[in-house]
Amino acid sequence: LDRHLILPLVEFLEEKKFYAIEDLLRAKLNVIKSTKMAHSKIKLHKSLYEIEKKSEAKEAETKFAALEEKYKAEVSKVGSEYKRLLKMAEDLLQRFSSYGLGESDVDPEKVETFKKQNMIDEESLKELYGFARFAFESGQYSNALNALLVFRILTSDDETAHQALWGKLAAGLLCLPREAKLDETLEEVVEDINQLRDIIGRRAQVSPLQQLVQRAWLVNWSLFAFLSTPELAPQFVKFILHEKILNAVQIRCPYVLRYLVAAVMISYDTSKMHLKQCMDIIEMEKDNYRDPLTEFMRNLLIEYNFEAAHKELVECEKVFKVDYFLGKPSMQTKFFKNARHLIFELYCRIHKRIDVALLAKRLNLDQKDTDKALVDLIRSAPFEGKIDSKKNQLVISTQYPSIHQKVIDKTKGLANRTQQIADAINKRMQSKLHQMDAD
């Protein structure tokens, strides 16, 4: 991770009070010490001073006085340099915004006309890029984001444009709240992630090993965007299951399998088609990585061990409380609702009569809410059932689909699959025709 992306994680630990506040303050200071976030450094040193002076008052005061003087000088230096660069960049950004250029549909002729009319040369673009980097290192992420967006449109240097895209993505991620809504800003960040995924594979000058490392970085960065809202869980599943991205996960960062399982469960209705592939990956990687989420899925869907799955589901609750990406209420609610629904559906498929108390234990339900929860589960299940109050049992009614329904289910996607095959044949024929014309 970029050191700026580590800050939200440390702040999360500070909020949850998992570690001593003094250790977390030192960790934050260590993260930002090589950045230009001078104001934050002073603030952190003041907080540390308040703690240290209680035990070593004289030493802490002498140490703080020296550091305060040092960081005040840094604040002055950073501030004056930032103002100089900002003045230069603001003029260019204002002219750009009034010209009507956009990143989505860049017209090369229009870009060249704008550069000629405003006398923008490579030196001007170099200064704009320098401002963006300075703003990012100073913690002014929105200014860095705007400057990098303009820079990428105007520059003709592909390598620098690629580096700027990484910077734009980092700035965009840091501008997002921890629990975001699916809006235009978040969609742009996701678009940058997908664009980087495609660019990495096309860069011939980069070795396979470097490509693997870059994909691993991209996967880790993508967690901040895809897991900021449950609405993006289906897209995250597709992103991770992309062949080369999945290779990077398995080789460099297998812990991301936790988030793959979470995303599949959170978006179970739309990601059900990927469940088999996800199960195969979890089974394949069980010796390299396992945690309560991956073990829950493995025990439930591969081993069919409901008791072990229940134990892992209890552990999953602890994981959600301490995980930065999964600890959002909206994520927790959807995951456990769909997990219970899946356990219930599988359990009822292999039993005709089930003790309600035992089922409540398997589903990790509160005794007070058991009846209401079971009624809701029965309503949404693909079978019929009723609760026998006298015996305190759930009775499952066996229903066999008619032959007509079987035919409908088998042929439901036939037209769509036929169209996909026809499109694939047409594309292949067109490519052959183009090749024949070229010859």
Side-chain angles (χ1 to χ4, degrees):
L1 284 178
D2 182 272
R3 60 176 60 250
H4 290 264
L5 288 170
I6 294 173
L7 281 175
L9 305 181
V10 180
E11 287 168 1
F12 172 76
L13 296 175
E14 189 178 348
E15 178 189 326
K16 293 292 183 179
K17 299 179 180 178
F18 292 136
Y19 302 98
I21 186 66
E22 186 178 354
D23 293 338
L24 291 172
L25 289 173
R26 290 187 189 283
K28 283 174 75 174
L29 198 55
N30 188 50
V31 168
I32 67 170
K33 68 181 180 182
S34 60
T35 70
K36 293 180 171 61
M37 301 171 70
H39 285 288
S40 298
K41 292 175 187 177
I42 288 181
K43 186 179 177 182
L44 286 170
H45 272 294
K46 281 184 177 178
S47 301
L48 272 171
Y49 167 66
E50 293 299 323
I51 295 170
E52 289 177 350
K53 74 177 183 180
K54 293 177 182 177
S55 56
E56 300 174 355
K58 289 184 179 179
E59 289 182 18
E61 190 172 350
T62 306
K63 182 181 174 183
F64 175 72
L67 288 169
E68 186 178 33
E69 188 176 339
K70 173 188 171 183
Y71 286 122
K72 277 183 178 179
E74 187 178 338
V75 166
S76 177
K77 182 180 177 182
V78 168
S80 59
E81 180 66 9
Y82 182 77
K83 285 177 183 177
R84 184 187 71 80
L85 291 168
L86 180 62
K87 187 178 179 181
M88 176 278 301
E90 274 184 336
D91 180 51
L92 176 55
L93 293 172
Q94 284 172 3
R95 281 181 284 163
F96 178 86
S97 61
S98 61
Y99 199 76
L101 287 169
E103 191 179 25
S104 56
D105 53 342
V106 179
D107 183 348
E109 291 184 9
K110 204 172 181 181
V111 170
E112 287 304 315
T113 303
F114 172 78
K115 288 167 75 171
K116 286 178 183 177
Q117 288 178 356
N118 293 274
M119 294 181 292
I120 298 171
D121 54 12
E122 288 304 314
E123 191 61 33
S124 302
L125 291 176
K126 190 176 178 181
E127 287 184 349
L128 179 63
Y129 186 61
F131 164 73
R133 292 190 63 171
F134 197 95
F136 184 85
E137 287 299 317
S138 303
Q140 304 294 325
Y141 305 120
S142 59
N143 287 340
L145 179 64
N146 294 331
L148 288 169
L149 188 150
V150 174
F151 175 81
R152 292 196 69 249
I153 293 172
L154 298 180
T155 188
S156 56
D157 185 343
D158 291 340
E159 182 59 30
T160 314
H162 175 69
Q163 293 174 9
L165 182 56
W166 279 99
K168 180 173 175 280
L169 174 58
L173 292 172
L174 289 160
C175 287
L176 292 174
R178 180 165 169 256
E179 191 162 6
K181 292 181 180 179
L182 187 56
D183 56 11
E184 189 177 339
T185 305
L186 185 52
E187 286 175 352
E188 284 180 10
V189 171
V190 172
E191 189 179 333
D192 288 343
I193 291 170
N194 290 326
Q195 192 177 347
L196 272 169
R197 178 196 63 194
D198 298 336
I199 289 172
I200 290 169
R202 293 200 301 262
R203 300 181 77 217
Q205 72 273 28
V206 179
S207 69
L209 178 59
Q210 287 176 315
Q211 287 185 3
L212 180 70
V213 172
Q214 288 181 7
R215 288 191 184 103
W217 273 68
L218 184 61
V219 166
N220 282 282
W221 287 26
S222 72
L223 298 175
F224 289 89
F226 285 120
L227 299 181
S228 63
T229 172
E231 294 173 89
L232 286 178
Q235 291 189 46
F236 180 67
V237 173
K238 291 177 183 177
F239 174 76
I240 295 297
L241 293 180
H242 184 279
E243 183 183 359
K244 292 188 175 178
I245 294 293
L246 183 58
N247 286 341
V249 169
Q250 291 174 304
I251 295 169
R252 299 279 302 191
C253 43
Y255 51 83
V256 173
L257 294 176
R258 166 190 290 186
Y259 303 109
L260 175 61
V261 171
V264 169
M265 291 306 304
I266 287 166
S267 59
Y268 181 69
D269 293 337
T270 52
S271 299
K272 200 181 294 186
M273 66 188 81
H274 301 296
L275 196 59
K276 176 67 170 64
Q277 187 180 0
C278 187
M279 287 161 52
D280 292 342
I281 295 164
I282 296 302
E283 181 66 12
M284 189 190 307
E285 297 296 322
K286 67 181 180 182
D287 294 328
N288 294 329
Y289 179 79
R290 60 176 69 192
D291 70 10
L293 276 80
T294 60
E295 285 299 285
F296 165 73
M297 177 172 278
R298 198 176 68 80
N299 282 308
L300 182 63
L301 298 172
I302 298 172
E303 301 292 338
Y304 290 98
N305 187 334
F306 291 98
E307 187 174 350
H310 165 254
K311 289 178 181 177
E312 297 299 343
L313 190 62
V314 174
E315 292 300 312
C316 285
E317 291 184 356
K318 298 176 184 177
V319 171
F320 271 76
K321 287 177 183 177
V322 300
D323 192 292
Y324 174 86
F325 299 106
L326 301 178
K328 307 168 185 76
S330 55
M331 293 282 191
Q332 294 183 50
T333 302
K334 290 210 168 191
F335 178 89
F336 289 105
K337 179 183 176 182
N338 290 337
R340 290 186 181 107
H341 180 85
L342 186 58
I343 294 172
F344 177 77
E345 190 175 319
L346 289 171
Y347 204 74
C348 291
R349 283 184 187 278
I350 57 177
H351 296 86
K352 288 188 176 180
R353 284 182 170 271
I354 308 164
D355 183 73
V356 170
L358 177 62
L359 184 58
K361 182 183 176 183
R362 291 279 184 267
L363 298 174
N364 200 29
L365 293 172
D366 190 349
Q367 289 185 352
K368 296 178 182 177
D369 302 325
T370 298
D371 291 342
K372 182 179 180 300
L374 287 179
V375 169
D376 291 339
L377 287 167
I378 292 167
R379 283 174 180 167
S380 60
F383 48 77
E384 289 188 5
K386 60 182 181 180
I387 297 175
D388 186 339
S389 301
K390 291 182 179 178
K391 295 182 178 180
N392 198 32
Q393 291 180 337
L394 175 64
V395 182
I396 308 300
S397 304
T398 306
Q399 287 189 325
Y400 299 98
S402 66
I403 189 67
H404 302 291
Q405 187 61 44
K406 285 183 178 179
V407 172
I408 291 168
D409 291 340
K410 287 283 184 184
T411 59
K412 190 182 291 182
L414 192 59
N416 188 34
R417 289 198 296 273
T418 305
Q419 184 63 45
Q420 288 176 351
I421 292 168
D423 291 342
I425 292 170
N426 285 334
K427 283 182 181 178
R428 187 169 291 182
M429 290 295 292
Q430 286 174 7
S431 65
K432 284 187 177 181
L433 288 171
H434 285 308
Q435 191 174 356
M436 288 170 66
D437 292 339
D439 294 339

